[in-house]
Amino acid sequence: MSFTAYWNGEWVPSEQIRIDPLDRGFMVADATFEATRTFNGRIYHLGDHIRRLYRSLDYIRLDPGLTEDEMAALTEEAVERNLDKLDAVGDLHIHHFVTRGKGRRAWSADGAQVGIRVSGLDFAGYYTAYDGLKAVITRTQSYHAEALDPKIKHYSRMNFNLAELEANELDPGALPILRDRDGCITEGSSYNVFIVTDGRLRTSTTRTVLEGVSRKVVLSLASQLDIETRIEDIQPYDVLNADECFFTSTSWCMVPVTTVDKRPVGDGKIGPVTKQLLAAWSENVSLDIVDQAVRHGSRAVV
């Protein structure tokens, strides 16, 4: 199935997007990106994603040649051009990316390369996650905030790759939970981490984690549900003694974690706070997010 993408001012089939091997985004990860999705074909929290993209662009001194409003309008058009695929794929994933172009030095690169790529959500790749994921707290660490600010959504992710390999070696199929140099829990390789202790929702501060949009949604839902929430430093001890754990990310929204370091989280079942928040998210977007993933994911792997 061919999707239509925006690439440097033109609308082209996604498979025609090409990054020059000498582009700084490819050579030295001199690029930033965003990812969002639709629910029933409507883009979710587009403004939050565009604002985060432009904060990253401003921080790394990269001008995309488009205003925030222009980028948002192009995103809406990209989705509109691909709505005919909606019945087949369920919902859409939108990937923004901006590289600095070719150049020996960052300050002499030849200009931003801008893409908006649309595809079907990979339900087949994660629909079973709603039954409970496995995780491992890795020795591989997050980058130190003093070296690379975690609020930048960037492609410098070798530590994430190594953490994924480490977690899988220790417990096949497990996903990583990283720490900072002080031993505090930070995030996963593409997701924020939450735990529940005695009914209280807990998550790490943004000192060493990406300010996830899905993280923000969960915090808002918890407030509406009067769930006590603490944003604080979390230790591995806290995770291993938690009653519940879950991850948040753009595609899967939130998924329960039932095993950490080969040990059950709580009683090893999906907990009541996690279930309550999943139900609230589904109500918020007017569809059952678990049912949608299972229906389309299981159909895709038959």
Side-chain angles (χ1 to χ4, degrees), residues 208-263:
T208 54
V209 306
L210 179 72
E211 294 179 327
V213 174
S214 298
R215 173 184 181 273
K216 178 180 177 182
V217 170
V218 164
L219 293 173
S220 175
L221 292 174
S223 176
Q224 295 170 33
L225 295 168
D226 292 324
I227 297 172
E228 182 183 348
T229 302
R230 295 184 180 179
I231 301 173
E232 59 188 357
D233 287 339
I234 295 173
Q235 301 291 330
Y237 172 93
D238 301 315
V239 177
L240 295 173
N241 284 282
D243 301 312
E244 304 176 41
C245 179
F246 61 86
F247 296 155
T248 59
S249 77
T250 292
S251 294
W252 58 36
C253 305
M254 56 176 290
V255 288
V257 177
T258 51
T259 301
V260 176
D261 288 356
K262 297 185 176 181
R263 298 164 56 174

Side-chain angles (χ1 to χ4, degrees), residues 268-290:
K269 299 177 182 179
I270 302 170
V273 174
T274 302
K275 289 179 179 178
Q276 188 179 13
L277 288 166
L278 273 169
W281 196 311
S282 293
E283 183 177 354
N284 179 253
V285 297
S286 301
L287 65 83
D288 186 324
I289 59 176
V290 177

Side-chain angles (χ1 to χ4, degrees), residues 124-143:
Y126 70 80
Y127 77 96
T128 58
Y130 292 103
D131 294 328
L133 289 172
K134 299 187 295 182
V136 167
I137 300 171
T138 62
R139 292 174 298 172
T140 303
Q141 295 182 353
S142 293
Y143 293 136

Side-chain angles (χ1 to χ4, degrees), residues 1 14 30 45 59 62 90 94 172 232 248 262 268 292:
M1 184 181 299
S14 274
D30 191 356
H45 283 266
Y59 189 85
L62 176 51
I94 306 122
E232 59 188 357
T248 59
K262 297 185 176 181
Q292 182 191 45

Side-chain angles (χ1 to χ4, degrees), residues 59 138-152 154 156-160 178-184 186-187 206-210:
Y59 189 85
T138 62
R139 292 174 298 172
T140 303
Q141 295 182 353
S142 293
Y143 293 136
H144 303 330
E146 294 87 348
L148 185 58
D149 196 306
K151 289 183 284 296
I152 308 167
H154 56 78
S156 303
R157 297 189 164 210
M158 184 55 72
N159 64 330
F160 285 170
L178 286 79
R179 297 172 293 161
D180 62 21
R181 63 182 177 182
D182 296 319
C184 296
T186 55
E187 58 193 349
T206 57
R207 178 176 57 87
T208 54
V209 306
L210 179 72

